[in-house]
Amino acid sequence: MDLAGPAGPVAALRAEARPRGEDEPWDAVAVLVPGYSGSKEDFAPLIDPIVAAGIGVLALDLPGQYESPGLPGELDHRPGPLGVLVGDLVRAEAAAGRTVLLLGHSYGGLVARAAVLAGAPARGLTLMGSGPGELPMGPRRTRLDVLEPVLRRRGLDAVVALREEAGDWEAADPAVAAFLRHRLATSSPAALLGMGDALRSEPDRVPELVAAVRGRRLATLVVCGMHDDAWPVTTQRTMADRLEAEFAAVPGAAHTPNVENPRGLLDVLLPTWRTWLREDTLEA
C-alpha cells in the first residue's frame, strides 16, 4: 500500500491487530522505520507476532528506499526532513484514534528521533541498533567512505557490482539475495548519498531528546543485538542511561535483531510495549 505524504507517496505494509480482549483496551499501532539501504520488508519476521499481541503494524519504506520514490535532493534525505515526514504520518495515525509506538532501526532511529523532536505524538519511542550521533569508525563507516565516490562517479550499478564481488550476499538464501540486490538497485542514489553523509555527520542530539522525553513523559526503550557492529553496545547502553530509558541487548544478534533473532527481540518489545499501553490506559 501507499500512504499519502506531503512530499509524495510512501510505500508501507499495514497489518491490523487481531481482535483485542478486555485486557487490551487500546487501539495501538507500531510504526516501524528501517535503516540505511533497508525497507519495510526488514520487519517481516515481526509483523505477525506483533499483530497477534493486539498491536497493529505500519512498516515503512523511507523516501528513496525500494518502493518509495525519492525526494529531489540529498539534503532532503537527512534525519531532520525525514523526521518531519514520519512525524506527519504519526500524526495521521493519532488523528485516526490510534496510539502510536514508534520504532526506528539504525538510520531509522535517527529519523524516529527527529520525528519526536518535530513533535510527533507517539506514546513510546524505541531506538533499535541506533546511536546518539554519527556512525563511529569501523567497517560499516569505512564501507560508506569507499562506496560514496563509486556511487557519485559510476552510478548505482557499479555499487551493486562491487557489493556482489565482495560477497555481501553469499551467505543469504538465493531468493533473499536476489531481493537484496534488486532492492539496492532500485534505490534512489540521492537518498543513499544523503543518508550516507548523515550517518557520518549527524550530531549528538540526545540532550534535545532528553528534554522532549521528560517534557512529554514519552516512554523510551533502547534495544540492540548483543554483538552489534555499528554503534557499540556500550554506546547504546550509555545513551539509554542518558535518556533514563529501558535498555536490552538481544542474544544471538548483531545489528539486525529483527532478522537475526526476531523471537529474542519480540521477547523485549512486546512486554515493554504492552506495559506502556496499559500505563497509558490507566493514566487516561
Side-chain angles (χ1 to χ4, degrees):
M1 64 173 292
D2 286 340
L3 301 174
V10 175
L13 295 172
R14 184 186 290 278
E16 300 293 344
R18 63 157 174 73
R20 294 177 298 280
E22 293 181 0
D23 65 332
E24 301 167 350
W26 57 69
D27 185 359
V29 60
V31 176
L32 311 178
V33 185
Y36 171 83
S37 79
S39 68
K40 57 192 178 300
E41 286 75 15
D42 293 342
F43 301 110
L46 307 181
I47 292 176
D48 286 347
I50 292 175
V51 166
I55 300 169
V57 171
L58 184 64
L60 309 176
D61 286 350
L62 288 170
Q65 291 180 332
Y66 191 32
E67 296 178 319
S68 284
L71 301 172
E74 293 176 24
L75 294 179
D76 297 321
H77 297 91
R78 296 181 71 89
L82 292 181
V84 171
L85 184 150
V86 170
D88 288 340
L89 297 177
V90 170
R91 285 187 186 89
E93 294 298 306
R98 301 183 184 96
T99 299
V100 178
L101 305 171
L102 179 60
L103 178 148
H105 173 233
S106 192
Y107 188 76
L110 302 180
V111 174
R113 175 177 74 180
V116 168
L117 293 176
R123 170 63 183 96
L125 172 66
T126 300
L127 301 174
M128 183 176 75
S130 193
E134 65 184 71
L135 190 66
M137 296 306 299
R140 289 179 180 271
R141 180 156 179 160
T142 298
R143 183 163 62 179
L144 289 174
D145 291 336
V146 170
L147 291 180
E148 179 190 12
V150 175
L151 179 56
R152 288 192 183 280
R153 297 169 189 167
R154 296 168 52 196
L156 196 50
D157 288 345
V159 170
V160 174
L162 280 176
R163 291 195 59 180
E164 188 82 59
E165 291 172 12
D168 283 3
W169 303 301
E170 281 183 357
D173 176 273
V176 173
F179 168 74
L180 295 175
R181 281 192 295 270
H182 173 68
R183 179 173 72 178
L184 179 58
T186 55
S187 297
S188 158
L192 291 173
L193 289 167
M195 290 188 289
D197 182 62
L199 277 169
R200 293 173 293 165
S201 61
E202 177 74 0
D204 184 336
R205 302 189 71 186
V206 174
E208 298 170 68
L209 187 58
V210 168
V213 166
R214 290 177 179 172
R216 290 156 52 185
R217 300 179 65 190
L218 183 70
T220 312
L221 167 69
V222 175
V223 61
C224 62
M226 194 172 287
H227 309 290
D228 200 330
D229 59 350
W231 285 271
V233 174
T234 52
T235 298
Q236 296 184 60
R237 182 182 291 111
T238 299
M239 180 174 69
D241 291 341
R242 295 168 67 190
L243 289 166
E244 298 180 351
E246 300 174 73
F247 174 81
V250 179
H255 189 53
T256 53
N258 44 307
V259 174
E260 295 153 345
N261 186 2
R263 185 66 262 170
L265 176 61
L266 289 161
D267 286 343
V268 174
L269 294 181
L270 294 180
T272 302
W273 288 354
R274 289 170 69 92
T275 296
W276 292 352
L277 293 169
R278 288 195 184 97
E279 289 174 348
D280 190 50
T281 302
L282 290 173
E283 290 172 4

